[in-house]
Amino acid sequence: MVGKVAQVINIPFTVGGGINAFEDVERQLFAGADKVSINSAAIRTPNLIDKISASFGSQVCVCAIDARMEADGQWYCYVKGGRERTDLKLLDWATEVADRGAGEILFTSMNHDGVKQGFANEALARLADELSIPVIASGGAGNMQHFRDAFTLGKADAALAASVFHFGEIAIPDLKKYLRNEGINVRI
């Protein structure tokens, strides 16, 4: 599938899901992916991050972090598609990921994912303030203002959404124009 996608698009793309070993990374890159995104594998085998960045450059390694704010007010990281909680705290793990050589963090707030009430801007801003690598916001987009807030309040470097685009609730060209008008640097 990655090879077929690489043949028909002319933009960089990242592949995630099911990447469990270094050989999986090599396979995806040689098939045409520009980057790989790892979550559960990174938590199970943190030195996978080191190996990817040492072999291909930090720009290839995107560490996805699925986290949920629990009743104690702490953000905990999850694996297995958000089904299993770990003892890792969001900021601690994000710092380790950056120190190991990841080029970006894709932070998904599981509290916000799918509810279309906005991104976890407080957590995003804290990550952006504490880390020297880009942070991608995921989980919570419901309207164009949510994207603006992710960039202004959350200090995110990029923002991701799925259903609002898939179901035509927001047209990407309209979102880009809106963000540009709001003072966000966007390629049109």
Side-chain angles (χ1 to χ4, degrees), residues 96-159:
E96 180 176 344
V97 159
D99 290 346
R100 286 181 172 277
E104 297 173 80
I105 288 177
L106 168 57
F107 164 56
T108 301
S109 165
M110 297 178 60
N111 303 78
H112 295 77
D113 197 33
V115 297
K116 298 183 181 182
Q117 298 297 309
F119 295 94
N121 292 320
E122 264 186 49
L124 280 166
R126 186 151 183 230
L127 289 169
D129 288 342
E130 298 287 330
L131 304 173
S132 61
I133 62 174
V135 177
I136 305 164
S138 175
N143 62 47
M144 290 194 235
Q145 294 79 19
H146 293 153
F147 287 93
R148 178 201 61 209
D149 292 348
F151 294 118
T152 56
L153 303 174
K155 304 178 186 178
D157 296 283

Side-chain angles (χ1 to χ4, degrees), residues 31-62:
D34 296 278
K35 301 178 182 187
V36 294
S37 177
I38 56 174
N39 180 3
S40 298
I43 289 175
R44 273 194 316 271
T45 315
N47 68 354
L48 180 59
I49 301 165
D50 307 72
K51 192 168 181 180
I52 293 168
S53 60
S55 299
F56 300 111
S58 62
Q59 79 285 351
V60 167
C61 187
V62 178

Side-chain angles (χ1 to χ4, degrees), residues 14-104:
T14 304
V15 174
I19 297 173
N20 295 302
F22 185 75
E23 295 73 25
D24 297 328
V25 174
E26 288 180 312
R27 211 172 7 265
Q28 299 307 323
L29 295 176
F30 295 141
D34 296 278
K35 301 178 182 187
V36 294
S37 177
I38 56 174
N39 180 3
S40 298
I43 289 175
R44 273 194 316 271
T45 315
N47 68 354
L48 180 59
I49 301 165
D50 307 72
K51 192 168 181 180
I52 293 168
S53 60
S55 299
F56 300 111
S58 62
Q59 79 285 351
V60 167
C61 187
V62 178
C63 271
I65 301 177
D66 296 342
R68 179 182 307 276
M69 181 186 274
E70 302 288 345
D72 65 0
Q74 295 290 321
W75 285 90
Y76 290 94
C77 299
Y78 278 70
V79 293
K80 297 183 180 175
R83 294 183 310 273
E84 187 177 301
R85 187 185 129 172
T86 70
D87 291 331
L88 292 170
K89 292 184 180 170
L90 172 62
L91 189 57
D92 295 340
W93 177 236
T95 301
E96 180 176 344
V97 159
D99 290 346
R100 286 181 172 277
E104 297 173 80

